[in-house]
């Protein structure tokens, strides 16, 4: 069964304390892995797409990496404005859909 | 450029009433998606359209749910009759081309059925 699992469910960091979020997946016909950010009361906002193992993408303090079975979202020296829920999704080429994880809720304290 | 527009933003209704949610996708986008989000189940795809044609409605939970896309700039999701377990946040998203997984979400409609 196609599945996306994110860990941890919640993470609390101090400002400047770097860490990583994990997204592991099992899906047939993978068509990319996608990271989104969701702020309270808003819809998910697209961050990155990764297509092949070894690929990396960066945006400000965020860096996403991909292996054959998982992806990491590294957050370097986070700031309070990085607080949000980070969602991971994989493209299922067989069914032409995104399969979503439940997200990691990140809180960065000043 | 305006993003995906949804209305209403909040809806409170009584069990048994009809609810209609509305969505205007980004201009020029050819695919539209309806999702439901809950704490327990996360984001669930209900239905999606390519070029105004429904492609996959296997996520629609019951016959009480229906969706239409009469033209490229408007879609509705209707629940009739509504039940308390339908309470959730409903998102509409659009993407530029059919088959594109890069989706742009609206702000959502928070539905509460009492």
């Amino acid at each position: 069964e196609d599945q996306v699992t994110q860990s941890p469910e919640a993470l609390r960091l101090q400002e400047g304390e770097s860490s990583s979020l994990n997204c592991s997946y099992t899906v047939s016909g993978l068509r990319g892995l996608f990271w989104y950010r969701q702020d309270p009361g808003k819809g998910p906002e697209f961050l990155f797409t990764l297509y092949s193992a070894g690929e990396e993408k960066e945006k400000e303090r965020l860096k996403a990496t991909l292996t054959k079975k998982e992806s990491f979202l590294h957050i370097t020296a986070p700031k309070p404005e990085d607080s949000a829920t980070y969602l991971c999704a994989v493209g299922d080429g067989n069914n032409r859909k995104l399969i979503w994880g439940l997200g990691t809720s990140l809180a960065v304290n000043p | 450029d305006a993003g995906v527009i949804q209305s209403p933003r909040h809806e409170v209704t009584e069990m048994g009433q009809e609810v209609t949610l509305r969505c205007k996708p980004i201009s020029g986008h050819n695919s539209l998606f309806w999702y439901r989000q809950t704490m327990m189940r996360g984001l669930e795809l209900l239905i999606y359209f390519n070029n105004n044609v429904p492609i996959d409605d296997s996520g629609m939970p019951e016959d009480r749910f229906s969706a239409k896309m009469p033209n490229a700039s408007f879609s509705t999701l209707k629940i009739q009759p509504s039940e308390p377990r339908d309470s959730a946040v409903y998102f509409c998203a659009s993407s530029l081309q059919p088959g594109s997984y890069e989706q742009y979400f609206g702000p959502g409609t928070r539905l509460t059925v009492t």
Side-chain angles (χ1 to χ4, degrees):
Chain A
E1 179 182 349
D2 297 339
Q3 191 169 325
V4 177
T5 303
Q6 292 189 245
S7 62
E9 289 185 14
L11 181 63
R12 185 176 295 275
L13 300 173
Q14 289 298 122
E15 184 171 2
E17 179 186 2
S18 301
S19 187
S20 296
L21 313 182
N22 177 264
C23 172
S24 62
Y25 61 90
T26 54
V27 64
S28 54
L30 178 70
R31 292 292 182 270
L33 185 138
F34 304 80
W35 283 98
Y36 284 76
R37 169 187 170 133
Q38 186 174 20
D39 291 298
K42 296 188 177 181
E45 178 185 349
F46 171 77
L47 290 174
F48 302 112
T49 306
L50 301 165
Y51 286 108
S52 56
E55 188 175 358
E56 298 183 353
K57 293 277 181 70
E58 287 190 62
K59 181 178 180 179
E60 296 181 357
R61 294 174 293 283
L62 301 177
K63 183 170 78 172
T65 61
L66 180 65
T67 71
K68 287 188 177 180
K69 293 187 176 181
E70 59 189 349
S71 176
F72 293 93
L73 185 65
H74 307 278
I75 304 175
T76 302
K79 298 182 177 181
E81 52 262 43
D82 295 322
S83 298
T85 295
Y86 290 86
L87 296 167
C88 168
V90 296
D92 177 358
N94 292 334
N95 296 311
R96 313 293 286 177
K97 300 177 184 179
L98 279 175
I99 302 171
W100 295 84
L102 293 180
T104 294
S105 176
L106 174 67
V108 182
N109 297 325
Chain B
D1 191 16
V4 175
I5 298 172
Q6 291 188 246
S7 64
R9 294 294 314 276
H10 303 273
E11 177 80 33
V12 180
T13 191
E14 292 184 348
M15 182 174 63
Q17 296 299 305
E18 177 179 299
V19 175
T20 299
L21 311 181
R22 297 173 176 81
C23 175
K24 176 180 170 57
I26 293 173
S27 178
H29 281 199
N30 294 308
S31 293
L32 182 139
F33 308 81
W34 281 103
Y35 286 93
R36 178 171 66 178
Q37 187 177 43
T38 60
M39 290 291 292
M40 292 299 297
R41 300 173 68 89
L43 271 168
E44 300 175 279
L45 178 65
L46 301 177
I47 185 171
Y48 76 93
F49 298 81
N50 286 343
N51 298 313
N52 313 337
V53 176
I55 302 300
D56 186 341
D57 65 355
S58 60
M60 298 284 261
E62 300 170 32
D63 291 344
R64 299 184 296 106
F65 286 68
S66 62
K68 294 182 179 180
M69 191 165 186
N71 57 62
S73 58
F74 185 66
S75 178
T76 59
L77 178 68
K78 186 176 294 186
I79 308 173
Q80 166 63 20
S82 58
E83 297 183 3
R85 59 191 167 128
D86 301 331
S87 297
V89 181
Y90 290 81
F91 288 104
C92 176
S94 67
S95 67
L96 184 59
Q97 296 177 356
S100 171
Y101 294 102
E102 189 172 321
Q103 299 174 9
Y104 295 83
F105 284 74
T109 295
R110 179 173 295 278
L111 173 66
T112 303
V113 183
T114 60

